[in-house]
Amino acid sequence: MKSLLNALLLLAITSIYSQNTFSGKITDSQTSEPLSFVNIYFSDLEKGTVSNENGVFQIENIPTGKHQIIFSMIGYETQSVSINISTETKFEIKLMPTAIEMESIIISTPFHKLQSENVMKVEQKSVKELKSSGAVTLAEGITNIAGVESITTGLSIGKPVIRGLSSNRVLVYTQGIRLENQQYGDEHGLGVNETGIESVEVIKGPASLLYGSDALGGVLYLNPERFANTNSSSGDFGGNYFSNTQGYSTNAGVKVSGDEFKFLFRGSLAEHADYKTNDYRVTNTRFREQDLKAGIAYYNNAFKTEFRYNVNQSKLGIPEDIGIQNTNRMPLLPYQEVTNHVFSSKSTLFFNDSKLDISLGYIYNNRKEFEEHHHDEDEDHHDEDEHDEDEHEEEEHHDEADEILEAALNMKLSTASYDVKYSLPNLGKFETIIGVQGMNQVNTNYGEEALIPNATTNDIGVFTTSHIHFDKADIQLGARYDNRHLNIENSLNKTFNSFNGALGFKTNITPAITTRVNLATGFRAPNLSELASDGSHGGTNRYEIGNIELNNEQNFQTDVAFEFKNEHLELFANGFYNTINDYIFLAPNGEIIDEDPVFRYAQEDAKLYGGEFGLHLHPHPLDWIHFESSFAMVTGKQDNGAYLPLIPANNLTNTIRVEFENNSINQGYAFITLRSTFNQNNVSIFETPTGSYNLLSAGLGGNLTLFKNEVSFSLSGTNLTNKTYINHLSRLKPDGIFNMGRNISIGLAYNF
């Protein structure tokens, strides 16, 4: 039905538009020499090309009207230009050499601008950059972004934390739709593989205006890899080896694009044994993950549409204590088996001076948890050596797994979502978008245990936002109304409503100094677990009891950011103050049920405050050397004076990086990083303080030419001193289990 509608819309409008061509030439502003391999990209069309050896480019089938074009190349200042395209438009542009790193377009905010043009502060990092630091998983990689941390259960399970807020307070977007995979649980991981993801964007602070409930604390926006440029194709395959877990990850992908149709496919596989500390391996932190991504797109001069599909299947061990010591990769009991299907469709209709964006999504998440099968065991193993005991015990675990026909916990969550935005014709200095978003979500239990009940959730939100351009300043403002209706099976109905707004201001005090001030409200409706959970949760080793009387969380955040940039130095200072009414938290009440401590959900007004500060030194003409430093801090307290749980410790990261080129290696780099994490003494009443530690890492990499194609290589090491430490956000901390020790990573990728 949807494809038929798209076809009818296409037939109705394509005759109105001519086949426009955009062409031109790009040169160096200082030497007037032509520049080859410059990226030319239409951000709203998601269409681009590169300049040839003469600096010349041409892109066809461009719809009539106003478009934003990005010109970018390493070593040159990125330029964003707004142009009215007619039947045939020719354009010449000169790029300025610079030591400042190349900017990319920001997708998570509605007007798709460069960060330097954005009113809202957004952090962006390429996945390639995050992985080059030696991160084993995406959840670990995002902790390299200042102000972002991860609540971990071993190595395979990690949840993003933005400025001290996590779980349903941080919304994750993938393939342009909201990710829904039971993320309320502390031991429920991100559920997304980094392969096939181009970059990560982080909105710090309330983004309810743009995304509704669950964006109270911020947004983690995962940008999928782009399709190949028109009439081109490419492919790659590669892998990584990790010494600590004796694990590996492999992936392969291919992209083919014609004049109108584009295709891409990517598959990956990763397996890891238990990670090793300085003293022992942490039993059952082993895991296996399979991932497949595919996409098809159609581009016309007045219409574009794309469909993407991702299936991710993971088998994740749940660590409980230190036991079996080996390097097998098959998870032991207890373990999770999670399958996540993500279907997404994104279409745009272009009119002469406006456009309509329609994003549709469907996510099917199946989460199973398998527990120990208890039976009488023969204890007469005293004559076996320790190695034999480990092998015998592991065989028993696997035998038990074979005996279990059904998972103890088996939850299926289906979520259908829609996001429709209309970009109005510009009115003078005003760019305006109006939109409607919503979802239908059904949670169903099939296992013998039911931590949360069967329920249906319906969301709808309407909003409008405007970007106002002045000569020396930009203003962005907007308002939104949301309604959530929750129907709990054999129980009651709950309805939550909220009005929210945002106001932001950006100006250049001097050509080198930019300041941003953003004021925003946000909200979060209580999730199903907080309202109605009642049962023992094996993954968390606690008995959770919900509170059906919970109210919306409602917050107001003030965010101030300063940036200074010149050819030698970049400085930034971001500060925030966030007040949250009716903050929901889980606390023990001293009772024991089924041998597990009882935790109940409660509410209390709270506040969080802190910020990120840093510098990037790249002294001209020594542009090949970089010194980067960042400091992140956050404090979270209830109004009664008690500290909030799971607040990350303050940390300082210092990096020295060099970049080099020679006849053999291009885009070569080497780095050394020292990350210092300070004492965390500001803890909740049921937490304990965590000590400070320093972690040293280093690496190098670059690109080589082999058989006329590019080979990318990387070598990195983390925790090089094999430091014994515990992160405050590790869920294994109460058991005194250490985080991962030294790890050496080797990566190769062949591009063709």
Side-chain angles (χ1 to χ4, degrees):
M1 183 67 182
K2 176 179 174 293
S3 60
L4 177 61
L5 177 61
N6 284 342
L8 291 174
L9 289 171
L10 178 62
L11 291 172
I13 64 176
T14 51
S15 61
I16 302 176
Y17 297 91
S18 58
Q19 299 288 318
N20 298 326
T21 299
F22 179 65
S23 61
K25 185 175 182 179
I26 307 171
T27 58
D28 186 299
S29 64
Q30 297 180 353
T31 67
S32 295
E33 292 291 323
L35 296 177
S36 57
F37 301 108
V38 176
N39 292 298
I40 302 98
Y41 187 66
F42 283 77
S43 59
D44 56 347
L45 303 176
E46 298 181 59
K47 191 172 187 178
T49 189
V50 295
S51 59
N52 64 19
E53 65 274 10
N54 298 315
V56 174
F57 66 89
Q58 180 171 301
I59 306 177
E60 298 179 345
N61 296 331
I62 305 298
T64 300
K66 191 173 184 179
H67 300 281
Q68 187 178 35
I69 305 122
I70 307 298
F71 298 87
S72 61
M73 181 181 181
I74 294 175
Y76 288 84
E77 182 179 342
T78 300
Q79 289 199 31
S80 173
V81 181
S82 184
I83 298 177
N84 277 307
I85 302 296
S86 57
T87 303
E88 185 172 349
T89 302
K90 292 186 177 181
F91 189 78
E92 292 190 6
I93 189 168
K94 297 179 181 292
L95 298 185
M96 176 72 70
T98 181
I100 298 175
E101 295 185 354
M102 186 173 66
E103 281 192 272
S104 298
I105 200 76
I106 299 297
I107 304 299
S108 56
T109 52
F111 298 100
H112 291 192
K113 299 182 180 298
L114 298 175
Q115 179 54 49
S116 58
E117 303 171 321
N118 226 24
V119 174
M120 184 181 296
K121 177 68 174 178
V122 179
E123 302 284 351
Q124 185 189 68
K125 293 284 186 181
S126 70
V127 168
K128 183 178 180 180
E129 183 179 355
L130 297 179
K131 292 289 288 183
S132 70
S133 67
V136 179
T137 64
L138 179 61
E140 182 185 3
I142 62 175
T143 63
N144 291 294
I145 301 173
V148 181
E149 295 290 340
S150 184
I151 297 174
T152 61
T153 306
L155 185 63
S156 62
I157 300 174
K159 299 183 68 65
V161 179
I162 299 178
R163 289 177 169 175
L165 297 177
S166 61
S167 191
N168 279 90
R169 298 181 183 94
V170 172
L171 183 61
V172 179
Y173 251 62
T174 182
Q175 297 179 193
I177 64 173
R178 57 185 295 155
L179 179 65
E180 293 290 327
N181 62 351
Q182 310 277 10
Q183 61 265 48
Y184 61 83
D186 287 348
E187 81 299 349
H188 296 173
L190 194 57
V192 180
N193 187 275
E194 69 276 2
T195 58
I197 295 176
E198 188 168 289
S199 63
V200 174
E201 296 176 14
V202 179
I203 300 176
K204 302 172 184 175
S208 293
L209 170 66
L210 304 177
Y211 298 104
S213 180
D214 300 347
L216 175 142
V219 175
L220 179 67
Y221 199 99
L222 308 176
N223 290 315
E225 65 178 309
R226 297 177 183 176
F227 291 91
N229 287 332
T230 302
N231 293 319
S232 67
S233 63
S234 64
D236 64 88
F237 61 89
N240 291 270
Y241 173 77
F242 305 93
S243 66
N244 185 284
T245 63
Q246 298 187 19
Y248 66 88
S249 65
T250 61
N251 85 94
V254 62
K255 297 189 281 189
V256 179
S257 294
D259 285 328
E260 296 180 332
F261 287 96
K262 302 173 185 280
F263 305 88
L264 63 81
F265 302 91
R266 183 168 299 279
S268 67
L269 171 66
E271 284 190 317
H272 293 268
D274 298 335
Y275 78 76
K276 186 178 181 181
T277 71
N278 193 28
D279 299 319
Y280 49 76
R281 289 194 178 275
V282 180
T283 307
N284 211 24
T285 53
R286 58 192 72 178
F287 67 97
R288 173 186 173 92
E289 183 180 23
Q290 299 168 279
D291 190 87
L292 173 67
K293 293 181 173 74
I296 181 173
Y298 175 82
Y299 286 70
N300 187 271
N301 66 318
F303 173 75
K304 68 169 186 176
T305 186
E306 68 177 52
F307 174 81
R308 293 181 187 257
Y309 169 67
N310 174 215
V311 57
N312 182 277
Q313 187 173 50
S314 302
K315 194 171 185 179
L316 314 170
I318 300 176
E320 294 185 314
D321 50 35
I322 304 303
I324 294 170
Q325 296 289 292
N326 60 37
T327 56
N328 293 347
R329 298 190 178 102
M330 178 68 71
L332 308 171
L333 292 169
Y335 67 85
Q336 296 179 358
E337 191 173 277
V338 184
T339 303
N340 208 44
H341 298 271
V342 180
F343 302 85
S344 65
S345 168
K346 184 169 65 172
S347 302
T348 303
L349 291 168
F350 295 97
F351 308 107
N352 280 335
D353 50 6
S354 63
K355 65 175 181 175
L356 178 67
D357 293 294
I358 304 171
S359 294
L360 304 174
Y362 178 76
I363 297 178
Y364 178 77
N365 175 261
N366 186 196
R367 179 177 298 277
K368 298 179 180 179
E369 293 187 5
F370 297 85
E371 299 177 355
E372 302 251 6
H373 181 60
H374 302 287
H375 55 77
D376 295 331
E377 298 182 7
D378 185 2
E379 301 293 338
D380 187 18
H381 302 301
H382 299 296
D383 294 333
E384 297 179 0
D385 60 29
E386 183 177 344
H387 177 72
D388 290 338
E389 287 179 354
D390 285 349
E391 285 190 344
H392 185 72
E393 186 178 350
E394 183 160 356
E395 287 175 2
E396 287 185 337
H397 275 280
H398 292 155
D399 289 343
E400 289 171 354
D402 291 337
E403 292 174 11
I404 297 175
L405 299 178
E406 296 184 359
L409 189 69
N410 186 356
M411 297 185 293
K412 296 183 180 181
L413 186 73
S414 62
T415 306
S417 62
Y418 58 90
D419 183 348
V420 181
K421 298 187 183 78
Y422 179 61
S423 300
L424 278 67
N426 289 357
L427 298 175
K429 300 179 183 296
F430 283 77
E431 286 183 84
T432 301
I433 293 174
I434 58 175
V436 58
Q437 297 170 336
M439 73 172 185
N440 170 265
Q441 186 174 90
V442 179
N443 182 80
T444 310
N445 290 277
Y446 292 90
E448 61 185 59
E449 296 180 6
L451 177 64
I452 58 176
N454 297 342
T456 300
T457 303
N458 285 290
D459 278 3
I460 186 169
V462 293
F463 69 95
T464 181
T465 182
S466 293
H467 188 128
I468 311 170
H469 304 268
F470 296 101
D471 292 337
K472 296 183 178 181
D474 289 89
I475 294 175
Q476 187 172 324
L477 71 165
R480 180 182 180 116
Y481 171 76
D482 283 275
N483 176 275
R484 168 170 290 185
H485 182 76
L486 182 64
N487 181 8
I488 302 175
E489 185 177 271
N490 300 322
S491 182
L492 49 77
N493 296 335
K494 294 284 289 186
T495 300
F496 302 94
N497 302 281
S498 184
F499 283 97
N500 290 281
L503 174 64
F505 174 82
K506 179 189 81 74
T507 187
N508 292 331
I509 299 175
T510 71
I513 300 176
T514 301
T515 184
R516 293 178 173 87
V517 178
N518 281 276
L519 310 175
T521 65
F523 89 105
R524 183 178 73 90
N527 62 47
L528 186 59
S529 177
E530 294 164 337
L531 291 167
S533 61
D534 186 8
S536 292
H537 201 327
T540 60
N541 298 317
R542 64 190 179 210
Y543 193 102
E544 298 180 7
I545 299 178
N547 181 356
I548 201 67
E549 300 301 325
L550 294 175
N551 300 316
N552 275 346
E553 289 183 339
Q554 192 76 43
N555 79 328
F556 177 79
Q557 179 165 311
T558 302
D559 200 305
V560 180
F562 292 93
E563 296 176 19
F564 171 84
K565 287 187 178 182
N566 66 16
E567 63 177 348
H568 306 290
L569 179 67
E570 299 173 49
L571 298 171
F572 70 87
N574 308 323
F576 72 94
Y577 192 91
N578 187 7
T579 61
I580 305 178
N581 295 330
D582 292 323
Y583 181 91
I584 300 171
F585 61 96
L586 194 60
N589 66 356
E591 298 178 15
I592 301 292
I593 298 179
D594 296 336
E595 300 182 354
D596 288 328
V598 175
F599 281 67
R600 290 181 178 271
Y601 285 97
Q603 288 188 299
E604 178 70 42
D605 292 346
K607 56 182 175 291
L608 297 97
Y609 51 89
E612 304 86 39
F613 313 89
L615 64 87
H616 178 189
L617 178 64
H618 41 78
H620 187 73
L622 303 177
D623 300 335
W624 52 271
I625 189 167
H626 301 257
F627 174 72
E628 301 175 17
S629 180
S630 64
F631 175 72
M633 60 175 294
V634 59
T635 299
K637 300 179 71 174
Q638 300 178 33
D639 280 7
N640 60 17
Y643 287 101
L644 296 178
L646 296 175
I647 299 298
N650 299 341
N651 64 79
L652 173 67
T653 303
N654 293 298
T655 299
I656 297 176
R657 188 175 85 252
V658 297
E659 299 170 347
F660 55 90
E661 302 263 353
N662 56 42
N663 293 332
S664 301
I665 300 175
N666 62 76
Q667 296 183 30
Y669 68 87
F671 71 89
I672 183 168
T673 297
L674 179 65
R675 183 180 176 97
S676 302
T677 300
F678 299 94
N679 293 326
Q680 178 55 294
N681 296 317
N682 300 332
V683 297
S684 71
I685 58 175
F686 55 91
E687 291 181 315
T688 57
T690 304
S692 63
Y693 53 89
N694 297 291
L695 300 179
L696 181 67
S697 60
L700 57 87
N703 300 323
L704 302 169
T705 300
L706 180 65
F707 304 125
K708 298 183 180 181
N709 291 310
E710 185 179 79
V711 176
S712 301
F713 70 93
S714 63
L715 172 66
S716 60
T718 57
N719 192 5
L720 290 173
T721 62
N722 212 18
K723 176 72 175 178
T724 298
Y725 74 100
I726 299 178
N727 187 287
H728 186 69
L729 299 186
S730 169
R731 290 189 55 255
L732 305 183
K733 177 178 180 279
D735 297 318
I737 296 176
F738 299 133
N739 285 78
M740 189 168 70
R742 181 189 299 115
N743 179 55
I744 306 298
S745 304
I746 302 172
L748 288 172
Y750 186 73
N751 306 288
F752 57 90

